[in-house]
Amino acid sequence: MTSVENAYGNSNLSVVILKIGIAFLFACCGYWISYLMGGESVFAKWLSAPFLGPTIFGGIQWIFWIVLSKEICGKYYGIVTALFMTGFYLMTEPWFSVVVPVWYSVIGIISGFLIGYLTERFNGAVGLSAFMVFNWICFYLFAKYPSWGPQYTIDGVIIAFIISIISGFIGDIVARYIAKFIKPYFQSIA
């Protein structure tokens, strides 16, 4: 029987379905943790930047699950996990609660692909920080309600950027470490 790692490119449909199921499960876990953590409003008193929840906790909410999926299922399954997570977010509310313009949720789909691709290609620090910068730029340029306001400062955004690098790096390292121990169990399933 083929291991999950060696099944990349294999035409065996059951292995592909299993790997997509694992990616879906990991995306559910990431979304659930994100839902439980929330937390953006708590940190807004100390740090004046938008989207503080994924900035501070993105390492465990996004990066951990993307890296774990890639390490266990193989190349491109981190992107699949990120897109599943994006879909869960978009099913429950508009992307970062921006309702005007109505097409703003397309930014979410692009963001999901961006964080998945850059995390797989480089690491979680690059993936999460690029994800945040992309969303900040789009929020500044396109969002009408809610919009970028005077409550956000350049200093706050720079500090948040540094925090996103650290958070992404930690999520990446922890996921790779845990994957070493659980990968053999998943290989025996496939």
Side-chain angles (χ1 to χ4, degrees):
M1 184 159 271
T2 307
S3 73
V4 174
E5 180 181 278
N6 296 330
Y8 174 70
N10 191 341
S11 62
N12 187 349
L13 185 60
S14 63
V15 172
V16 173
I17 290 171
L18 175 65
K19 290 164 77 173
I20 290 173
I22 292 168
F24 183 83
L25 176 68
F26 288 164
C28 289
C29 292
Y31 175 75
W32 183 66
I33 287 173
S34 175
Y35 178 77
L36 291 177
M37 290 177 106
E40 184 165 331
S41 61
V42 173
F43 296 103
K45 297 175 187 173
W46 300 295
L47 194 57
S48 53
F51 317 138
L52 291 176
T55 301
I56 296 169
F57 301 118
I60 190 67
Q61 293 172 344
W62 286 87
I63 301 301
F64 177 83
W65 302 102
I66 291 169
V67 171
L68 197 61
S69 186
K70 181 207 176 250
E71 291 294 315
I72 290 173
C73 298
K75 193 174 183 180
Y76 304 121
Y77 283 92
I79 298 170
V80 171
T81 300
L83 290 173
F84 274 139
M85 286 179 67
T86 302
F88 295 148
Y89 285 106
L90 292 175
M91 283 192 297
T92 56
E93 67 179 311
W95 191 246
F96 286 117
S97 300
V98 175
V99 293
V100 176
V102 293
W103 55 265
Y104 192 80
S105 290
V106 172
I107 301 295
I109 297 166
I110 296 168
S111 296
F113 179 79
L114 182 73
I115 193 171
Y117 175 77
L118 292 177
T119 299
E120 278 202 8
R121 179 78 172 93
F122 300 105
N123 61 37
V126 173
L128 185 60
S129 59
F131 172 82
M132 295 315 303
V133 167
F134 177 74
N135 279 289
W136 289 331
I137 290 170
C138 291
F139 185 63
Y140 178 78
L141 294 177
F142 302 120
K144 303 298 181 221
Y145 182 79
S147 64
W148 193 282
Q151 71 271 26
Y152 304 128
T153 64
I154 277 295
D155 295 342
V157 171
I158 290 170
I159 292 168
F161 176 73
I162 293 167
I163 291 170
S164 73
I165 292 171
I166 295 167
S167 176
F169 181 73
I170 291 170
D172 190 285
I173 295 298
V174 171
R176 289 180 198 278
Y177 181 76
I178 290 173
K180 288 180 186 178
F181 296 104
I182 64 173
K183 193 173 188 177
Y185 298 107
F186 283 99
Q187 287 177 339
S188 65
I189 293 171

